[in-house]
Amino acid sequence: MRKFLWVMALPLSLLLAGGGVAAAQSNKGFPYNADERAVGPYTLEDPLCFTDGRPVRCKAGWKARRSEILSLFEREMYGRIPGPEPLHLQTLEDGIMSDGSLRRTVIRMRFRPDCSGPCIDWTVFAPEGHNGSLPVVLMLRFADGTTELCDPVQAVTSRGYALVCAFYNDISPDPARAELQDSLAFSGIFDLWPDSGTPDGPRALGAWALALMRGMDLIETLPGLDAGRVVLAGSSRLGKAALVAAAWDERFAVICLNQTGGGGVTLAKRYFGENVLSETSRFRHWFSPAYAKYAGCEASTMPFDQHLLVSCIAPRPLLVEGFDNPWFDTRGEFLCLKAASPVWRFLGAEGLPDVDWPDDYDTSAIGPVLGYVRRDQGHGIAAIDWTWLLDFADRALR
Ligand code: GCU
């Protein structure tokens, strides 16, 4: 009865899509809501309660709840998170860069005993002449440029961190055109798994997340890098992959997720910005086919939302940097962090600062352990994002 009354209270124009809210905008032909007034009511599951309603009472209980959440996300959203171990590392290049301040090393990682098949080429940039072991920023990159001395190489190394990175399309191709997504998309590292491209098999975000976990394995083998002080970073689709990696793998000390948007940190049930229909139609290879069933009925049918996945990162330091653009729904990211924050407190860490959604460039929601900040003007990790990120990491690793 209450639900009926709520639906009747909405103007007819709001009853078009997404569980009863407006489809005011369109992006590449996909409708999306960009009107805060059209966000309908939704309920977020309590991260500190098991699916059967039992409360989590102790740290061991949280461990079990965390496993329950990860299984749910494998089944319903990201597909199986696969796990081949790297078998063989080969240094392809090693030398001092032209200005003398950085050492650049390219290492090929292989997975099969006979060294055939897929590989990942990692590039390590490390400041020369340092003593002791360096903290590290680990990330996947959109660019194949492994030699250029520019962002993020300069941003990271000038702050005394090493940068370990790989080109994400080398790990598994990311075709934009839907007709290529069922074939070309499941190549590259997918050749390691017999069930590649099947509904229950691994999907692209999981494959890139796996690469990040293997990047951590690499760091553990490299003298001069401190595997206990690894900052995992990523932007946009590569931020979504970093979120998955951080939720699954507890070795990353600090996590910084930049402009991840839908399928990343933001809440699907708000039905604001990118939504399940656009995600699973434009990027079929990113998500499990099981996720598509929630398209258009996120708020009323989804038994989970992204705050549950985010809570699996607790109690480690996490900074979320949002992009003030309706498609990326960064208010949803802030609300997601608020909903996950009780898990940090439960585990004895400080939660998100108790402030309202901050304005662009306002850093008042960046706490020592959990933080949020947003800005407008340009998609991607800009100089100001690196400053927020590395300031946060410096404090967290101190
Ligand atoms: C698109 C997509 C987003 C993604 C972004 C990117 O905007 O809808 O989900 O994050 O591309 O990766 O650049």
Side-chain angles (χ1 to χ4, degrees):
M1 184 60 177
R2 279 178 59 193
K3 187 166 186 184
F4 174 74
L5 286 175
W6 164 67
V7 170
M8 291 308 287
L10 287 170
L12 193 61
S13 61
L14 299 186
L15 298 176
L16 297 178
V21 292
Q25 309 280 330
S26 129
N27 182 345
K28 300 209 171 11
F30 289 96
Y32 72 99
N33 172 39
D35 183 353
E36 201 60 56
R37 291 163 309 174
V39 173
Y42 58 88
T43 307
L44 296 180
E45 293 69 28
D46 183 346
L48 292 169
C49 271
F50 289 92
T51 307
D52 65 8
R54 278 177 300 129
V56 173
R57 295 192 196 282
C58 58
K59 288 192 177 165
W62 169 248
K63 212 171 158 211
R65 171 65 172 142
R66 189 171 172 273
S67 302
E68 183 182 64
I69 293 172
L70 295 177
S71 306
L72 179 75
F73 276 90
E74 266 191 306
R75 207 169 54 240
E76 294 292 320
M77 188 161 175
Y78 297 110
R80 204 180 70 241
I81 306 300
E85 300 299 323
L87 281 166
H88 187 257
L89 297 172
Q90 180 195 2
T91 301
L92 301 183
E93 293 170 41
D94 185 33
I96 307 297
M97 293 180 70
S98 54
D99 80 341
S101 67
L102 290 182
R103 173 173 289 273
R104 175 179 166 276
T105 312
V106 181
I107 298 164
R108 177 159 293 176
M109 177 180 275
R110 293 226 177 247
F111 298 86
R112 289 204 178 118
D114 65 356
C115 286
S116 68
C119 60
I120 301 178
D121 286 346
W122 292 102
T123 307
V124 182
F125 297 91
E128 259 296 276
H130 65 91
N131 297 316
S133 51
L134 291 167
V136 183
V137 171
L138 169 67
M139 65 188 293
L140 296 180
R141 297 184 62 191
F142 286 104
D144 188 15
T146 49
T147 50
E148 84 273 40
L149 192 59
C150 66
D151 267 1
V153 181
Q154 206 137 44
V156 169
T157 55
S158 67
R159 295 279 298 251
Y161 289 71
L163 176 70
V164 175
C165 54
F167 175 42
Y168 90 119
N169 261 305
D170 273 353
I171 295 158
S172 87
D174 185 25
R177 293 208 335 258
E179 65 271 23
L180 295 176
Q181 288 172 5
D182 286 338
S183 51
L184 183 61
F186 296 101
S187 55
I189 200 166
F190 281 94
D191 293 345
L192 292 171
W193 307 302
D195 58 350
S196 282
T198 62
D200 297 329
R203 313 296 287 182
L205 288 173
W208 299 323
L210 171 91
L212 289 166
M213 299 182 216
R214 298 295 76 92
M216 184 72 203
D217 296 344
L218 171 72
I219 292 166
E220 285 177 339
T221 70
L222 294 178
L225 301 190
D226 185 348
R229 290 188 296 156
V230 173
V231 181
L232 178 65
S235 181
S236 213
R237 67 197 68 187
L238 301 181
K240 303 186 216 294
L243 163 63
V244 174
W248 254 267
D249 190 328
E250 295 179 284
R251 292 174 296 168
F252 305 108
V254 179
I255 293 94
C256 295
L257 305 175
N258 174 275
Q259 305 188 355
T260 63
V265 175
T266 198
L267 295 172
K269 292 188 190 186
R270 261 168 59 77
Y271 195 76
F272 190 104
E274 189 166 12
N275 51 58
V276 177
L277 177 66
S278 66
E279 288 159 18
T280 55
S281 310
R282 284 180 62 199
F283 309 108
R284 277 187 303 186
H285 59 301
W286 291 6
F287 299 99
S288 156
Y291 188 45
K293 65 177 172 291
Y294 299 116
C297 48
E298 286 88 339
S300 56
T301 61
M302 283 181 70
F304 62 96
D305 213 330
Q306 298 305 97
H307 67 300
L308 296 183
L309 188 65
V310 167
S311 68
C312 293
I313 295 175
R316 289 167 290 161
L318 166 66
L319 175 68
V320 169
E321 296 178 333
F323 179 32
D324 194 4
N325 166 302
W327 183 245
F328 286 87
D329 185 23
T330 191
R331 183 169 160 76
E333 294 182 310
F334 179 70
L335 296 172
C336 176
L337 285 185
K338 277 211 151 196
S341 180
V343 180
W344 267 262
R345 297 207 181 92
F346 178 80
L347 296 173
E350 211 168 301
L352 196 66
D354 190 15
V355 296
D356 290 337
W357 188 37
D359 284 337
D360 287 333
Y361 303 95
D362 174 348
T363 55
S364 62
I366 305 184
V369 187
L370 201 49
Y372 169 87
V373 65
R374 67 173 165 135
R375 65 169 177 82
D376 56 4
Q377 313 259 336
H379 183 38
I381 312 189
I384 180 92
D385 300 308
W386 280 117
T387 302
W388 286 327
L389 188 159
L390 292 163
D391 285 353
F392 179 79
D394 279 353
R395 282 194 302 271
L397 293 174
R398 200 174 286 151

